[in-house]
Amino acid sequence: MLAETICAAVSAAGLGIAAISAYRKKFLSAARIAAYALVPLGLVMTGAVEWIADTAFSPVAWAGFGVLGIAWLLFLSTRAVERRRAGREVTAGGADPRAVAPAASAPSRAVTAKPQAGQSAGEDFSDIEAILKKHGI
């Protein structure tokens, strides 16, 4: 009952401020203030304020939130256990658990290409060195 009275008083005060604003020829501001002032009154009329007040002061409602939290933790923990088991089954199968796709983890040919007979390992980076020298690095 107290919450409804406070909401009604806030709405009345807001509508009074909107009337003063409209008297001063600030109609856009007055309409916006009136809209904000009518929100608490609408919440009281729909019963949302009573529901919030009943929920906030109800031990049964808080116990319900606790039960929902426990259920959420159970869902998360079972999912983590399933992920671990799936990782162990893959490892037991002989595959690498980190490899998602075998083709994706294969190194590229440019990196694994061995130097030809007349080249040394340092000549592979000659194009990179040329780019760095061009930029002054």
Side-chain angles (χ1 to χ4, degrees):
M1 184 74 178
L2 180 64
E4 288 87 359
T5 305
I6 292 171
C7 287
V10 168
S11 291
L15 290 174
I17 293 170
I20 292 170
S21 192
Y23 179 74
R24 293 181 180 169
K25 306 286 187 208
K26 297 180 181 178
F27 296 112
L28 185 62
S29 177
R32 189 172 296 129
I33 292 169
Y36 281 121
L38 291 174
V39 170
L41 188 62
L43 290 173
V44 167
M45 293 175 73
T46 59
V49 173
E50 183 181 346
W51 178 80
I52 290 171
D54 289 343
T55 303
F57 299 115
S58 172
V60 174
W62 285 109
F65 286 126
V67 169
L68 288 174
I70 290 170
W72 181 69
L73 288 174
L74 284 172
F75 280 126
L76 288 179
S77 62
T78 55
R79 185 173 175 149
V81 169
E82 283 179 350
R83 284 185 180 174
R84 277 197 186 156
R85 284 187 182 169
R88 288 181 184 160
E89 289 172 3
V90 169
T91 305
D96 185 16
R98 291 172 285 154
V100 177
S105 63
S108 66
R109 289 183 182 165
V111 174
T112 59
K114 295 181 182 177
Q116 295 178 358
Q119 293 180 333
S120 67
E123 292 178 2
D124 291 338
F125 299 108
S126 61
D127 56 343
I128 296 172
E129 289 176 4
I131 294 171
L132 291 173
K133 286 180 183 177
K134 178 181 174 184
H135 291 287
I137 298 176

